[in-house]
């Protein structure tokens, strides 16, 4: 999703802005641009595609100036081309924007009627013209910006620069996050502290509705009504070191391989390995006494939540209501009086997840969040944060965050079960012992990489793939399909194995590989029956199972991937590895942009 950077410096800022934008690349984008003010002249360079294209333009035709704004754009209104790329200009005003101005069409009509000429198809350009109108009406830069911002509806983060003032940037937040960075005689604004890490770790986050006037040596923050407000300064823990790929071809490959270590690290924060007990949790949510749990998330994090539902309900007998956040936020579902709500988000900034959180807050729920970004909005608006310790995840397709989310959910479910007395102390120890083996099994699963690479070569030839699983492997089947779609652009569906005969079986022929995720567990035989149904119709099965499963299934498969024999509890975490590797290598054979697949964003801050 769009990334914003602004700098008022003491040195030429264009190269600094590009460096900061590189740190926002992980969010996903399809064009980029930088504008600076130099000797009373606003100038810009913009380019479609990767930041390399913008750098090339800046190399050929550099931008001078000690104040500037920059942007990576993920298209919402208007195709990704140079004309629609930010910064946008109108008269003395330059703007970069993340989000959606919902009333832009109405504002554009009004401005056109007053003579404004539009050059792009973006909603952002109305902001420039609106501010320019206010300047022409005699308002100061700060007054003009405030007047314009007050008229905008929707979700937006903005950075604004004026041709007439080389010591002023306006930053405004209505939804998507924005951070001000404080330097020595320099000031910065950015979509997150990661972007600003090379310059400063002294950060002030704007609250929702805030806007700020930023100068080299000072800044003022105002609320929506224009009253000055104080917001706390904090030391960001984000590292300035740009996360590197190391020996790996892609961040996704690196992140898949980091999983054993990250899962161990995450689990050690939730489990006491010396006593084989789940550690006590922050008391804000009493899992021992709540009546119901609501869970909401998007994408991969939603599938983690679905698996969590199986665990909470089976182990702790705690009923869970779960939905994707874009539905949850508008469903007006009744929530239990004595209930808690859990929000799962790698970035902690997903707009729909945040809106679901706020709905639950308005309904009197206690709010917990499972996040990777601990300084994120979702974390800050929660009563209790259950961090995952996955480290920065750069690949747009989530991998290590998913398995670390599962590690946290399993730990919470065990703790809840122990507190509710639905498992005995001996069972708690047994489950914790099983969970503590996850990293070891995950490492074993990674050893199957070469074999999975071979199988992926065949997958890269097909148009459609079906994934099947039962129980916790059903959400994993959906996650497998999502991973494949996201990065290889091959159409894939994840289904509950037992549901196959109610529709998708009509698709089966020898052109569609069917990936069956089936460890030898309580319901393995049921899945074997579903595989028979596929085989009888000429379907080509790729079976992911263990030794026992392979022996028992005794049927002709296209391929069988033999996994280590793992306890049922941790199967979806360990089986996530071959699922991720299959998608990864298929995408590599397809030659797609694995880390930044087309049209996708890492951090989705619009609805
Ligand atoms: C985007 C990403 C997905 C991610 C989802 C939720 O769609 O491309 O990989 O699962 O957002 O993101 P979150 O940061 O809330 O986990």
């Amino acid at each position: 999703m769009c990334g914003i950077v602004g700098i008022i410096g003491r040195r030429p800022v264009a190269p600094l802005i590009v460096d900061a934008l590189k740190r926002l690349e992980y969010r996903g984008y399809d064009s980029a641009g930088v504008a600076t003010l130099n000797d009373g002249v606003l100038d810009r360079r913009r380019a479609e595609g990767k930041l390399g294209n913008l750098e090339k333009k800046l190399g050929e035709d550099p931008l001078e100036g000690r104040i500037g704004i920059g942007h990576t754009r993920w298209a919402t209104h208007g195709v990704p081309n140079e004309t629609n790329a930010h910064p946008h200009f109108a008269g003395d005003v330059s703007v970069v924007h993340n989000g959606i101005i919902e009333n832009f069409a109405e504002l554009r009509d009004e401005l056109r009627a007053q003579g404004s000429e539009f050059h792009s198809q973006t909603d952002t350009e109305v902001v420039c013209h609106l501010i320019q109108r206010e300047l022409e009406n005699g308002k100061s830069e700060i007054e003009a910006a405030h007047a314009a911002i007050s008229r905008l509806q929707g979700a937006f983060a903005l950075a604004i620069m004026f041709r007439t003032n080389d010591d002023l940037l306006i930053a405004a937040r209505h939804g998507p996050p924005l951070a001000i960075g404080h330097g020595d005689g320099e000031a910065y604004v950015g979509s997150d502290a990661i972007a600003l890490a090379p310059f400063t770790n002294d950060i002030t986050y704007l609250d929702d509705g805030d806007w700020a006037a930023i100068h080299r040596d000072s800044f003022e923050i105002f609320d929506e009504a224009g009253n000055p407000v104080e917001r706390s300064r904090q030391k960001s823990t984000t590292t300035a070191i740009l996360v590197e790929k190391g020996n790996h071809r892609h961040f996704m490959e690196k992140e898949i391989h980091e999983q054993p270590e990250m899962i161990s690290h995450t689990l050690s924060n939730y489990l006491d390995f010396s006593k084989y007990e789940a550690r006590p949790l922050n008391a804000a949510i009493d899992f021992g006494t709540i009546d119901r749990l609501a869970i909401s998330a998007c994408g991969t994090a939603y599938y983690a939540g679905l698996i969590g539902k199986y665990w909470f309900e089976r182990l702790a007998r705690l009923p869970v209501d779960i939905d994707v956040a874009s539905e949850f936020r508008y469903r007006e579902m009744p929530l239990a009086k004595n209930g808690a709500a859990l929000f799962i988000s790698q970035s902690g900034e997903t707009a729909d997840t945040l809106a679901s959180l706020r709905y639950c807050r308005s309904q009197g729920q206690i709010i917990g969040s499972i996040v990777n970004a601990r300084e994120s909005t979702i974390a800050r608006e929660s009563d209790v944060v259950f961090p995952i310790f996955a480290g920065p995840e750069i690949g747009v397709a989530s991998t290590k965050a998913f398995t670390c989310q599962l590690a946290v959910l399993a730990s919470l479910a065990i703790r809840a079960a122990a507190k509710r007395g639905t498992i005995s102390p001996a069972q708690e120890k047994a489950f914790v012992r099983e969970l503590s083996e996850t990293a070891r099994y995950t490492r074993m699963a990674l050893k199957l990489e070469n074999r999975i690479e071979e199988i992926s070569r065949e997958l890269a030839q097909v148009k459609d793939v079906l994934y099947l699983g039962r129980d916790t492997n059903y959400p994993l089947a959906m996650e497998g399909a999502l991973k494949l779609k996201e990065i290889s652009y091959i159409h894939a569906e994840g289904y509950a194995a037992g549901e196959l005969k109610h529709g998708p079986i009509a698709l089966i022929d020898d052109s569609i590989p069917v990936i069956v995720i089936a460890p030898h567990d309580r319901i393995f035989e049921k899945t074997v029956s579903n595989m028979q149904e596929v085989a009888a119709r000429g379907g080509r099965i790729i079976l992911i199972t263990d030794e026992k499963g392979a022996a028992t299934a005794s049927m002709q498969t296209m391929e069988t991937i033999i996994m280590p024999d793992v306890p049922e509890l941790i199967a979806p975490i360990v089986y996530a590895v071959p699922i991720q590797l299959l998608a990864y290598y298929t995408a590599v054979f397809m030659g797609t942009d694995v880390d930044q697949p087309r049209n996708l964003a890492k951090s989705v801050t619009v609805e």
Side-chain angles (χ1 to χ4, degrees):
M1 207 94 319
C2 305
I4 288 181
V5 175
I7 303 181
I8 315 185
R10 299 200 170 280
R11 41 193 169 152
V13 292
L16 306 180
I17 290 174
V18 172
D19 278 352
L21 290 177
K22 282 185 185 158
R23 303 172 65 83
L24 293 173
E25 275 195 298
Y26 75 93
R27 300 160 74 94
Y29 69 104
D30 33 44
S31 58
V34 178
T36 59
L37 171 64
N38 190 34
D39 279 343
V41 178
L42 281 178
D43 200 0
R44 65 184 166 187
R45 304 285 176 269
R46 299 177 295 169
E48 194 181 327
K50 297 288 171 199
L51 277 171
N53 300 346
L54 178 65
E55 278 186 300
K56 193 159 168 265
K57 285 199 171 175
L58 282 164
E60 289 158 5
D61 193 5
L63 280 177
E64 300 297 324
R66 288 157 204 272
I67 174 169
I69 53 181
H71 190 259
T72 47
R73 173 171 186 254
W74 186 80
T76 58
H77 295 65
V79 295
N81 60 17
E82 187 174 334
T83 315
N84 288 330
H86 302 211
H88 287 285
F89 285 178
D92 290 340
V93 183
S94 175
V95 172
V96 290
H97 161 221
N98 169 20
I100 292 174
I101 311 288
E102 285 170 358
N103 58 337
F104 91 99
E106 175 191 322
L107 292 171
R108 192 185 48 199
D109 292 347
E110 174 190 316
L111 288 157
R112 270 194 182 135
Q114 293 169 5
S116 298
E117 267 185 46
F118 284 80
H119 303 282
S120 75
Q121 300 155 307
T122 64
D123 51 343
T124 309
E125 207 184 336
V126 298
V127 185
C128 308
H129 286 286
L130 210 50
I131 301 172
Q132 177 62 23
R133 284 275 149 215
E134 299 292 354
L135 290 174
E136 285 163 13
N137 290 339
K139 292 203 167 77
S140 71
E141 291 121 349
I142 295 179
E143 288 165 351
H146 181 220
I149 292 164
S150 323
R151 297 203 53 203
L152 304 178
Q153 286 165 16
F156 52 84
L158 298 166
I160 305 162
M161 176 171 69
F162 298 89
R163 191 191 60 77
T164 43
N165 194 335
D166 78 348
D167 191 29
L168 175 67
L169 283 179
I170 300 282
R173 172 184 183 188
H174 200 272
L178 215 46
I180 302 174
H182 313 286
D184 186 12
E186 292 196 333
Y188 319 91
V189 54
S191 291
D192 61 28
I194 302 175
L196 305 185
F199 318 121
T200 185
N201 66 353
D202 184 2
I203 298 289
T204 303
Y205 287 100
L206 293 185
D207 274 3
D208 212 2
D210 285 355
W211 59 281
I214 305 164
H215 316 281
R216 276 185 182 75
D217 292 307
S218 64
F219 67 100
E220 304 104 50
I221 302 180
F222 306 92
D223 64 13
E224 261 165 308
N227 304 310
V229 286
E230 291 283 326
R231 302 290 176 224
S232 60
R233 279 165 84 143
Q234 43 188 278
K235 292 277 172 237
S236 164
T237 51
T238 304
T239 161
I241 304 161
L242 198 56
V243 185
E244 302 282 356
K245 285 195 271 253
N247 292 328
H248 297 276
R249 240 184 309 181
H250 296 103
F251 279 109
M252 184 176 175
E253 186 193 24
K254 171 172 178 257
E255 288 158 5
I256 290 172
H257 281 266
E258 282 173 348
Q259 290 180 109
E261 195 189 334
M262 301 304 165
I263 293 170
S264 281
H265 188 44
T266 301
L267 285 174
S268 66
N269 281 277
Y270 291 90
L271 304 177
D272 181 340
F273 293 129
S274 64
K275 298 194 206 131
Y276 287 111
E277 280 170 12
R279 289 186 196 280
L281 301 168
N282 181 314
I285 297 183
D286 185 350
F287 281 100
T289 57
I290 52 171
D291 290 331
R292 288 188 90 80
L293 185 64
I295 300 183
S296 186
C298 298
T300 291
Y302 168 68
Y303 294 133
L306 270 181
I307 293 172
K309 173 182 165 78
Y310 281 81
W311 287 332
F312 278 114
E313 292 187 339
R314 183 171 304 139
L315 301 181
R317 315 307 297 160
L318 175 58
V320 175
D321 302 303
I322 176 164
D323 209 341
V324 288
S326 52
E327 288 299 313
F328 191 111
R329 63 181 292 186
Y330 293 117
R331 262 178 60 191
E332 300 175 24
M333 64 199 269
L335 294 163
K337 275 211 178 63
N338 181 25
L342 261 188
F343 300 89
I344 309 169
S345 175
Q346 188 286 127
S347 64
E349 300 293 352
T350 303
D352 285 321
T353 310
L354 179 60
S356 303
L357 180 156
R358 289 176 180 162
Y359 171 74
C360 288
R361 166 83 63 211
S362 75
Q363 299 297 304
Q365 302 293 292
I366 308 161
I367 309 291
S369 60
I370 298 178
V371 294
N372 199 22
R374 295 167 75 168
E375 292 162 15
S376 59
T377 313
I378 288 176
R380 282 184 283 133
E381 293 198 14
S382 300
D383 298 314
V384 48
V385 179
F386 303 108
I388 63 168
F389 295 83
E393 190 181 66
I394 307 296
V396 165
S398 185
T399 52
K400 61 177 181 170
F402 175 67
T403 46
C404 289
Q405 285 159 355
L406 290 178
V408 173
L409 284 161
S411 306
L412 297 186
I414 293 171
R415 180 70 192 167
K419 282 208 85 180
R420 298 168 86 82
T422 52
I423 56 172
S424 66
Q427 283 171 310
E428 179 184 358
K429 282 196 197 319
F431 282 131
V432 172
R433 214 178 271 272
E434 288 178 2
L435 206 46
S436 69
E437 294 282 347
T438 315
R440 185 169 69 84
Y441 285 122
T442 309
R443 208 167 282 121
M444 287 162 75
L446 282 167
K447 298 221 162 82
L448 299 168
E449 188 165 13
N450 292 343
R451 169 103 181 88
I452 292 172
E453 185 178 356
E454 279 168 37
I455 298 173
S456 305
R457 198 183 288 275
E458 293 181 56
L459 272 192
Q461 313 292 325
V462 306
K463 286 207 161 50
D464 306 278
V465 179
L466 206 57
Y467 286 74
L468 300 178
R470 279 179 180 262
D471 204 80
T472 51
N473 295 307
Y474 159 42
L476 187 62
M478 292 194 277
E479 167 61 6
L482 177 68
K483 281 282 91 69
L484 193 73
K485 283 190 264 226
E486 279 181 308
I487 59 171
S488 75
Y489 316 147
I490 293 174
H491 170 245
E493 298 292 339
Y495 252 89
E499 191 66 9
L500 179 78
K501 53 191 168 297
H502 299 294
I505 200 162
L507 299 173
I508 302 292
D509 63 21
D510 61 4
S511 69
I512 301 187
V514 181
I515 300 180
V516 183
I517 308 167
H520 190 273
D521 56 14
R522 291 173 294 130
I523 41 179
F524 179 73
E525 295 296 346
K526 308 282 174 199
T527 312
V528 172
S529 308
N530 304 131
M531 283 197 292
Q532 300 284 10
E533 292 156 11
V534 173
R537 286 156 184 87
R540 296 191 297 162
I541 296 166
I542 299 176
L543 173 61
I544 311 179
T545 186
D546 44 34
E547 293 275 8
K548 244 199 231 154
T552 319
S554 67
M555 73 167 60
Q556 190 65 34
T557 60
M558 175 176 146
E559 302 285 353
T560 302
I561 299 171
I562 310 268
M563 293 283 288
D565 182 11
V566 300
E568 186 174 327
L569 174 73
I570 63 170
I573 312 181
V574 182
Y575 276 63
V577 172
I579 288 302
Q580 297 163 347
L581 287 171
L582 271 174
Y584 172 72
Y585 279 107
T586 305
V588 169
F589 287 123
M590 300 288 288
T592 57
D593 187 348
V594 172
D595 283 333
Q596 287 166 21
R598 68 183 183 203
N599 306 341
L600 292 181
K602 180 84 183 149
S603 173
V604 180
T605 49
V606 295
E607 275 193 53

